[in-house]
């Protein structure tokens, strides 16, 4: 009967043109690397833009933090692709660290500092100390092979919702942000779908499918110019401040404040300060980052035409990611690092899973972080443009996660219950927790702030909740009789 199946399960995707070890021609490689760099700028700019004002920092401080984060992201990406999992995965700033950082920012001892710049420096040093201590969790879990031992409980059925929620769980960074400036975001979404999907077989050059390889560069250029014209023509002159911030190309204040030359160095904000409560709160983000990164590595391996990373490779990747968080703490990036989900989606979107492309994109990150004015030009792209891309790329990563279900028996009621429950709770529980998040506190609100930040961070992450529910149910419900149904022989 299996012979009659027209599309049997496949461990590797067949329609990618360049796998992990094969490389496009050099001109294509450089343009693809630049495309990866442009894409990761969205999160790199968004996180400091959100946090630095709360810390008391000025626009100049924000520009310096963005450059530092970009510099360390380049270093971490190189370390991960050379020594970690060696998958073509970009490592950048993570939103998983925002809640503990907000807890540190709101620490009463820091809030009492009257001078804004001094408060920014002291807060940054407190965040650095917490990141340095919390990074030890990832380093120990990785290099002790503890995470690898835990990953032996993963099956295709358990990974499907976890990887799927790595993409689908980020829905709030898609259309809700796009909707802040519909006149820019919606044309971008329609254009990128049209160019990449409907024009992908159109060849302007004989050997290079330009519309399939470089849809982001083409569409961002067109819509960016369109948004510059809207700004210059005074379209947003009398609009509310949130609209102007989202739509205008001159409201980021990054170009004017970024230094021409800045070489980030360790402890540039001063010596880190250490607090047990801050460090414990930050450890929750490290645990979330491990769960999210595992899902992202699984997706990246599939999109780069590689077999699923074995336990020792996952552990090694998590260990090097811990080194990355340690570097974040030493340099003072203002947040921790994890695998960039949007860049994982780009592997499948362009059908290029080459490791060299990602390594050269790391070179772009380091170069543009040092020569700040040049990088600031690209960093001023309005957020709704990135949000339109996220709608496509996050959705693709989510679909890759669900593709693991082909190795399982989806006619099994046991599997359907586990999948449905983990997907639903993975979306529903974080939505409930995020609904209570304010600058001051989240849903869990006891007298112990570190405890609040810890639980609120864990349960606000869709991949983490999905992974916990799926792995627990998958390893406790009819385990002996369902090995084949779970997809373990295919793993």
């Amino acid at each position: 009967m299996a012979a009659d199946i027209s599309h049997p399960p496949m461990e590797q995707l067949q329609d990618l043109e360049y796998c992990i070890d094969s490389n496009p021609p050099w001109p294509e490689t450089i343009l693809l690397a630049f495309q990866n760099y442009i894409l990761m700028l969205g999160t790199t700019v968004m996180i400091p833009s959100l946090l630095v004002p709360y810390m008391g920092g000025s626009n100049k401080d924000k520009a310096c933090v963005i450059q530092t984060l970009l510099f360390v992201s380049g270093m971490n990406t190189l370390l991960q692709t050379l020594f970690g999992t060696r998958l073509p995965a970009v490592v950048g700033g993570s939103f998983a660290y925002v809640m503990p950082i907000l807890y540190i920012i709101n620490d009463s001892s820091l809030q009492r500092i009257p001078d804004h710049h001094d408060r920014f420096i002291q807060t940054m040093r407190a965040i650095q100390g917490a990141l340095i201590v919390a990074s030890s969790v990832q380093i120990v879990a990785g290099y002790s092979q503890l995470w690898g031992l835990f990953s032996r409980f993963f099956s295709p059925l358990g990974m499907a919702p976890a990887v799927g929620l790595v993409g689908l769980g980020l829905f709030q960074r898609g259309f809700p942000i796009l909707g802040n400036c519909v006149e820019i975001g919606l044309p971008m979404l329609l254009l990128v779908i049209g160019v990449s999907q409907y024009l992908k077989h159109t060849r302007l050059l004989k050997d290079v499918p330009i519309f399939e390889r470089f849809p982001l560069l083409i569409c961002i250029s067109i819509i960016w110019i369109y948004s510059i014209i809207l700004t210059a023509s005074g379209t947003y002159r009398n609009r509310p401040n949130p609209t102007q911030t989202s739509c205008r190309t001159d409201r980021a204040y990054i170009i004017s404040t970024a230094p021409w030359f800045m070489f980030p160095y360790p402890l540039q904000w001063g010596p880190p300060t250490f607090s047990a409560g801050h460090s414990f709160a930050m450890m929750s983000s490290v645990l979330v980052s491990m769960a999210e990164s595992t899902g992202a590595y699984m997706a990246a391996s599939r999109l780069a035409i590689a077999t699923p990373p074995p336990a020792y490779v996952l552990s090694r990747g998590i260990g090097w990611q811990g080194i990355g968080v340690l570097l974040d703490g030493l340099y003072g990036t203002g947040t921790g690092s994890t695998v960039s989900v949007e860049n994982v989606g780009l592997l499948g979107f362009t059908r290029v899973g080459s490791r060299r492309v990602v390594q050269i994109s790391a070179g772009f990150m380091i170069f543009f972080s040092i020569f700040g004015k040049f990088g600031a030009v690209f960093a001023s792209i309005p957020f709704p443009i990135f949000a339109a891309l996220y709608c496509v790329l996050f959705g693709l990563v989510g679909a890759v996660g669900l593709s693991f279900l082909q190795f399982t028996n989806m006619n099994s009621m046991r599997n359907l219950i586990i999948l449905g429950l983990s997907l639903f709770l993975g979306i529903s529980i974080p939505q409930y927790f995020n609904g209570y998040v304010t600058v001051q506190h989240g849903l869990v609100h006891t007298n112990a702030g570190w405890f609040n930040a810890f639980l609120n961070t864990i349960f606000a992450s869709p991949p983490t909740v999905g992974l916990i529910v799926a792995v627990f149910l998958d390893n406790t419900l009819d385990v002996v009789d369902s090995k084949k149904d779970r997809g373990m022989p295919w793993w």
Side-chain angles (χ1 to χ4, degrees):
M1 189 172 177
D4 298 329
I5 299 174
S6 59
H7 301 289
M10 290 186 178
E11 290 182 1
Q12 297 176 331
L13 299 176
Q14 300 298 305
D15 55 351
L16 270 72
E17 290 203 13
Y18 296 97
C19 67
I20 193 167
D21 289 317
S22 62
N23 303 305
W26 275 107
E28 269 190 73
T29 298
I30 292 170
L31 279 175
L32 285 164
F34 186 69
Q35 188 167 243
N36 268 280
Y37 159 72
I38 291 290
L39 180 60
M40 65 86 60
L41 276 180
T43 302
T44 304
V45 174
M46 206 177 292
I47 295 174
S49 298
L50 170 68
L51 295 175
V52 170
Y54 286 129
M55 296 163 64
S58 62
N59 286 321
K60 184 178 180 181
D61 294 326
K62 180 175 74 174
C64 289
V65 173
I66 289 171
Q67 284 180 251
T68 303
L69 179 55
L70 195 58
F71 181 82
V72 177
S73 295
M75 287 179 25
N76 286 339
T77 300
L78 283 177
L79 290 173
Q80 193 61 244
T81 54
L82 291 171
F83 309 113
T85 58
R86 304 194 75 237
L87 289 167
V90 171
V91 179
S94 170
F95 275 90
Y97 290 81
V98 167
M99 214 170 293
I101 289 171
L102 287 175
Y103 159 65
I104 295 173
I105 290 171
N106 289 301
D107 190 300
S108 57
S109 62
L110 295 169
Q111 286 294 320
R112 283 196 294 266
I113 300 172
D115 181 72
H116 286 301
H117 183 69
D118 188 34
R119 179 158 61 87
F120 166 75
I121 295 294
Q122 295 299 327
T123 304
M124 179 61 82
R125 290 165 63 184
I127 293 169
Q128 286 181 257
L131 284 170
I132 289 170
V133 174
S135 67
S136 62
V137 174
Q138 257 184 335
I139 293 172
V140 170
Y143 293 119
S144 69
Q145 294 294 317
L146 190 63
W147 191 252
L149 290 172
F150 178 64
S151 71
R152 294 182 190 279
F153 293 100
F154 299 165
S155 70
L157 180 65
M159 277 290 97
V163 180
L165 289 169
V166 165
L168 302 179
L170 296 172
F171 64 90
Q172 290 174 324
R173 275 194 266 158
F175 210 89
I177 294 178
L178 181 156
N180 291 337
C181 191
V182 176
E183 58 268 37
I184 290 175
L186 195 56
M188 179 67 189
L189 177 59
L190 297 175
L191 188 64
V192 78
I193 293 172
V195 167
S196 65
Q197 302 306 309
Y198 291 96
L199 297 179
K200 64 182 179 182
H201 298 301
T202 304
R203 300 287 178 104
L204 297 181
L205 297 177
K206 186 178 180 182
D207 299 323
V208 185
I210 292 177
F211 294 123
E212 186 176 42
R213 285 285 184 277
F214 314 109
L216 271 62
L217 291 181
I218 294 169
C219 298
I220 287 175
S221 300
I222 293 171
I223 301 299
W224 193 15
I225 291 170
Y226 168 60
S227 62
I228 290 172
I229 293 171
L230 288 179
T231 300
S233 64
T235 303
Y236 306 112
R237 194 167 294 146
N238 299 315
R239 303 288 290 276
N241 276 334
T243 302
Q244 297 205 34
T245 302
S246 297
C247 299
R248 293 182 71 105
T249 55
D250 58 357
R251 276 303 173 94
Y253 303 112
I254 297 174
I255 299 174
S256 59
T257 55
W260 280 102
F261 179 86
M262 170 191 163
F263 193 85
Y265 56 91
L267 309 183
Q268 59 186 338
W269 311 108
T273 57
F274 298 94
S275 161
H278 294 170
S279 301
F280 191 81
M282 195 65 77
M283 286 177 188
S284 62
S285 292
V286 170
L287 294 173
V288 166
S289 172
M290 288 162 63
E292 292 180 352
S293 295
T294 299
Y297 289 140
M298 291 290 186
S301 68
R302 189 153 174 75
L303 288 172
I305 323 182
T307 53
Y312 74 93
V313 172
L314 275 180
S315 273
R316 192 174 66 204
I318 292 299
W320 276 103
Q321 203 169 301
I323 300 286
V325 176
L326 178 63
L327 291 174
D328 289 323
L330 290 173
Y331 278 82
T333 60
T335 187
S337 295
T338 192
V339 178
S340 170
V341 179
E342 53 268 35
N343 288 85
V344 170
L346 189 61
L347 300 177
F349 203 58
T350 57
R351 297 203 300 154
V352 176
S354 167
R355 186 192 296 118
R356 179 187 290 174
V357 168
V358 171
Q359 290 170 337
I360 293 175
S361 76
F364 278 117
M365 296 173 212
I366 294 171
F367 175 83
F368 284 113
S369 67
I370 294 172
F371 298 97
K373 289 287 186 190
F374 298 104
V377 172
F378 301 110
S380 64
I381 298 171
F383 288 144
I385 291 179
F386 288 110
L389 297 174
Y390 295 163
C391 290
V392 179
L393 299 176
F394 290 163
L396 177 56
V397 172
V400 169
L402 297 181
S403 74
F404 284 114
L405 294 174
Q406 68 185 302
F407 309 125
T408 68
N409 177 14
M410 291 316 294
N411 292 314
S412 161
M413 188 56 68
R414 170 197 181 272
N415 287 3
L416 291 173
I417 289 172
I418 292 173
L419 176 67
L421 199 57
S422 53
L423 277 175
F424 187 83
L425 292 181
I427 293 173
S428 187
I429 291 175
Q431 179 72 6
Y432 178 61
F433 271 75
N434 285 322
Y436 285 86
V437 171
T438 65
V439 176
Q440 296 298 326
H441 60 80
L443 176 64
V444 181
H445 186 47
T446 66
N447 292 328
W450 55 268
F451 180 75
N452 303 337
F454 190 94
L455 285 186
N456 288 325
T457 301
I458 294 289
F459 289 106
S461 165
T464 306
V465 175
L467 183 68
I468 292 170
V469 175
V471 171
F472 176 78
L473 293 176
D474 192 34
N475 287 277
T476 55
L477 288 178
D478 300 327
V479 183
V480 178
D481 300 329
S482 57
K483 187 174 181 180
K484 196 171 181 180
D485 286 349
R486 298 164 65 203
M488 294 305 284
W490 279 99
W491 203 234

